[in-house]
Amino acid sequence: MRPLTLASWNVNSVRLRAPQIARFADMARPDVICLQEIKCLEDQFPHKIFADMGYPHAAVTGQKGMHGVAVVSRLPIEALDPHPLCPKDEARQQRVKIEGVEILNLYIPAGGDEPDPDTNPRFRHKLDFLGVLETYLAGRKDEPGARVLTGDLNIAPLEHDVWSHKQLLKVISHTPVETEALERLRKAGGWTDAARALIPEPEKLFTWWSYRNRDWRKSNRGRRLDHIWVNGDLEAAALSGGRAGFKVWEDCRDWPQPSDHAPVTLELR
């Protein structure tokens, strides 16, 4: 496997933010960009814009006006059959292979506002998705091959992945039922959370800041919702670059009409 730099970014509309993605790509120079919440069908995806950026290869799993994931690459993409993970059959997952590395690109449901699965169907949907994903990952744990799991998982799992652990324990994305489910599926699949392996707690690490914060930098009420995990076959490659190998490109959050997520990158050396 040649060295690869992977990026993941919930862009909240790929057509609206194509210029920002181009600006980011010019700065970060990733080989592969995994996108979430593209909000378009495959025939609406701006293929030419990405080809002009230097990403002529694209795999798109879209949905009209909602959800959707895509992978764009400087290198050829082999599309792989996805396992049906989403209980509602929404466009929230895809599986591809690039340079021998299998990439599972995910957009897990946010879950709404009320952390009660009995009264909030959106939260129930999120927990059901996590359950299906855990079973799937556990079943593939011992398969040979280099694998990456990435995307907007919509969960900030650790105490220092949120601006206030105590204040967010009853807020969706950091409730114990979610963080425990995410840790179960991480262990079930034998995954290493690259960000925290390279930048351990208690250092704060965020990738998302709400649009509701007028001055997001001053308040810095962030959460780490965007993740890149690697399996055992890639752990050495992911960690060999030290803490500089993983980066949150938070300056993108300052750009005009930004996504509420910042892109993250991981170098595989």
Side-chain angles (χ1 to χ4, degrees), residues 165-223:
H165 172 63
K166 290 183 179 179
Q167 293 187 64
L168 293 181
L169 280 172
K170 295 183 179 181
V171 175
I172 287 181
S173 79
H174 193 61
T175 65
V177 66
E178 295 169 273
T179 59
E180 290 166 9
L182 191 67
E183 179 63 6
R184 283 196 307 271
L185 69 85
R186 188 191 67 78
K187 289 182 176 179
W191 298 96
T192 294
D193 178 350
R196 280 310 186 187
L198 293 168
I199 308 173
E201 292 189 289
E203 184 170 337
K204 294 283 190 181
L205 195 59
F206 307 146
T207 67
W208 174 92
W209 295 263
S210 174
Y211 286 130
R212 297 174 183 174
N213 296 327
R214 289 186 178 182
D215 188 339
W216 71 273
R217 282 196 182 273
K218 183 177 180 180
S219 63
N220 199 28
R221 295 189 171 192
R223 308 177 202 177

Side-chain angles (χ1 to χ4, degrees), residues 109-187:
D113 297 322
E114 177 59 43
D116 183 346
D118 293 329
T119 60
N120 179 1
R122 295 172 66 187
F123 194 52
R124 168 54 63 194
H125 175 41
K126 182 175 190 176
L127 298 182
D128 289 346
F129 193 115
L130 293 170
V132 174
L133 181 59
E134 179 183 350
T135 300
Y136 170 70
L137 296 178
R140 300 196 61 202
K141 180 179 181 180
D142 296 326
E143 287 184 19
R147 292 192 290 278
V148 172
L149 182 154
T150 191
D152 176 8
L153 306 188
N154 262 313
I155 298 172
L158 303 176
E159 178 177 350
H160 298 282
D161 291 337
V162 294
W163 65 273
S164 173
H165 172 63
K166 290 183 179 179
Q167 293 187 64
L168 293 181
L169 280 172
K170 295 183 179 181
V171 175
I172 287 181
S173 79
H174 193 61
T175 65
V177 66
E178 295 169 273
T179 59
E180 290 166 9
L182 191 67
E183 179 63 6
R184 283 196 307 271
L185 69 85
R186 188 191 67 78
K187 289 182 176 179

Side-chain angles (χ1 to χ4, degrees), residues 13-19 21 35 38-53 55-56 58 60 70 72:
S13 177
V14 69
R15 291 175 290 178
L16 176 63
R17 295 196 168 85
I21 301 169
L35 302 167
I38 61 172
K39 293 184 175 179
C40 69
L41 296 169
E42 181 174 359
D43 61 3
Q44 300 169 321
F45 190 83
H47 289 275
K48 185 179 185 305
I49 292 176
F50 280 97
D52 291 344
M53 288 182 211
Y55 298 90
V60 181
V72 297

